[in-house]
Amino acid sequence: HPILHGFVVLVVLLGTTASAFQLPGMFSPSVSSLSASTQRPVNQAQRIPRLGLRMQETEAAPAEAWSPAGMTVEDFFERSIGSWRSLRSSHNIAFAQLEEVNSDIDITDVSLDDPELQDICKQYTVEPSSACSSIRMAWEGTSDWDEEEILNGSTVLVVTKETENTGKLLRSVGYTETIPAAGDWVMQSDGTFVLNTLYDRAAAEERIWFATPDLRMRVSMIKTQGGKGVLTASLSTEIRDKREKK
């Protein structure tokens, strides 16, 4: 029959066209159904380009250790300003006794028109304007000899220069005697501040330096007036107190 013959021809043509083009979906097999012999291995490294940038490997420079070497006397006293917690261990050699003193120390800057500074400069005939540094040091602490007794006081320190690394230090209250005192200071190249003070009945030698910006060390010796014998030797560690004041 002509109509039936045309329908058969149309079906054959459609089948041939679909096989030739392998249309996806119903007319083409999935990738998983292909035989292993017809698959080509895919190199993923070639198929997917590498877009990332290669990071350059650099070594971090080592941090330099802090050192007080080369510190000037102005730097020394400027760094000393602040609040400190001090522990002093003393050996009274004459009486073979040990003592520990815990103290809170406050160091503040002093202006040239401060009355106490004016008085100490007048006593030693020094012009206040010649001072390169001036501070007030106040302390309060207790000793293990008598924990109920409060040790407190304050003094004004005025620093003047004779050379860049030497000069005078004037105090309204001395280290061993509660009277004004004047000492000779030397600023050593390693950052150690050395102070020698001669009193009526004794002599004092102090060495103070910064181990770190927040840790000061102090070694003190009280000697006989002639400086031949040592009466007392002490070591103090002073840690900067960063606690908020109440």
Side-chain angles (χ1 to χ4, degrees), residues 73 76-77 80-81 105-112 114 116-118 120-121 124 126 128 131-139 154-160 168-175 179-183 185 193 195 197 199 206 208 216 218:
V73 69
F76 177 84
F77 280 93
S80 298
I81 292 175
I105 301 174
D106 287 317
I107 301 177
T108 56
D109 193 17
V110 175
S111 62
L112 297 181
D114 183 88
E116 197 170 354
L117 182 145
Q118 294 280 341
I120 190 68
C121 288
Y124 287 97
V126 172
C132 62
S133 298
S134 53
I135 61 172
R136 174 176 283 105
M137 184 169 62
W139 62 89
S154 67
T155 183
V156 170
L157 309 181
V158 180
V159 184
T160 63
K168 294 283 188 182
L169 187 143
L170 314 177
R171 299 194 229 195
S172 59
V173 176
Y175 185 74
I179 58 174
W185 63 264
F193 180 81
L195 178 65
T197 307
Y199 298 95
E206 299 175 73
I208 313 170
R216 292 201 325 172
R218 180 196 303 264

Side-chain angles (χ1 to χ4, degrees), residues 28-221:
S28 63
S30 64
V31 175
S32 60
S33 65
L34 293 175
S35 63
S37 61
T38 60
Q39 290 185 2
R40 294 184 59 189
V42 178
N43 189 334
Q44 296 295 333
Q46 294 178 354
R47 185 174 180 178
I48 302 175
R50 299 181 65 181
L51 301 179
L53 299 178
R54 185 175 182 179
M55 301 297 293
Q56 294 183 351
E57 296 181 359
T58 57
E59 295 184 0
E64 295 184 2
W66 185 86
S67 171
M71 185 181 295
T72 65
V73 69
E74 291 91 347
D75 293 336
F76 177 84
F77 280 93
E78 183 177 354
R79 287 183 177 275
S80 298
I81 292 175
S83 298
W84 301 83
R85 302 179 69 185
S86 172
L87 173 61
R88 187 181 75 199
S89 299
S90 298
H91 188 180
N92 191 317
I93 299 173
F95 297 97
Q97 292 179 328
L98 298 175
E99 180 186 19
E100 281 195 358
V101 177
N102 288 277
S103 303
D104 292 326
I105 301 174
D106 287 317
I107 301 177
T108 56
D109 193 17
V110 175
S111 62
L112 297 181
D113 58 356
D114 183 88
E116 197 170 354
L117 182 145
Q118 294 280 341
D119 290 342
I120 190 68
C121 288
K122 183 177 180 180
Q123 182 171 354
Y124 287 97
T125 62
V126 172
E127 287 293 330
S129 59
S130 66
C132 62
S133 298
S134 53
I135 61 172
R136 174 176 283 105
M137 184 169 62
W139 62 89
E140 181 176 306
T142 57
S143 168
D144 62 352
W145 284 6
D146 186 355
E147 296 182 356
E148 295 183 358
E149 181 185 3
I150 301 299
L151 308 173
N152 54 23
S154 67
T155 183
V156 170
L157 309 181
V158 180
V159 184
T160 63
K161 282 184 174 181
E162 294 177 352
T163 68
E164 189 62 28
N165 297 318
T166 62
K168 294 283 188 182
L169 187 143
L170 314 177
R171 299 194 229 195
S172 59
V173 176
Y175 185 74
T176 63
E177 301 176 8
T178 57
I179 58 174
D184 298 307
W185 63 264
V186 176
M187 197 73 205
Q188 296 183 336
S189 60
D190 63 356
T192 302
F193 180 81
V194 181
L195 178 65
N196 288 282
T197 307
L198 184 63
Y199 298 95
D200 291 338
R201 294 170 290 179
E205 178 183 329
E206 299 175 73
R207 294 176 175 268
I208 313 170
W209 68 95
F210 284 86
T212 72
D214 296 325
L215 173 62
R216 292 201 325 172
M217 310 292 291
R218 180 196 303 264
V219 175
S220 305
M221 289 186 291

Side-chain angles (χ1 to χ4, degrees), residues 2-39:
I3 298 177
L4 181 60
H5 177 74
F7 179 77
V8 171
V9 172
L10 179 61
V11 170
V12 171
L13 289 176
L14 287 175
T16 304
T17 304
S19 300
F21 288 98
Q22 290 190 348
L23 298 177
M26 295 182 296
F27 298 102
S28 63
S30 64
V31 175
S32 60
S33 65
L34 293 175
S35 63
S37 61
T38 60
Q39 290 185 2

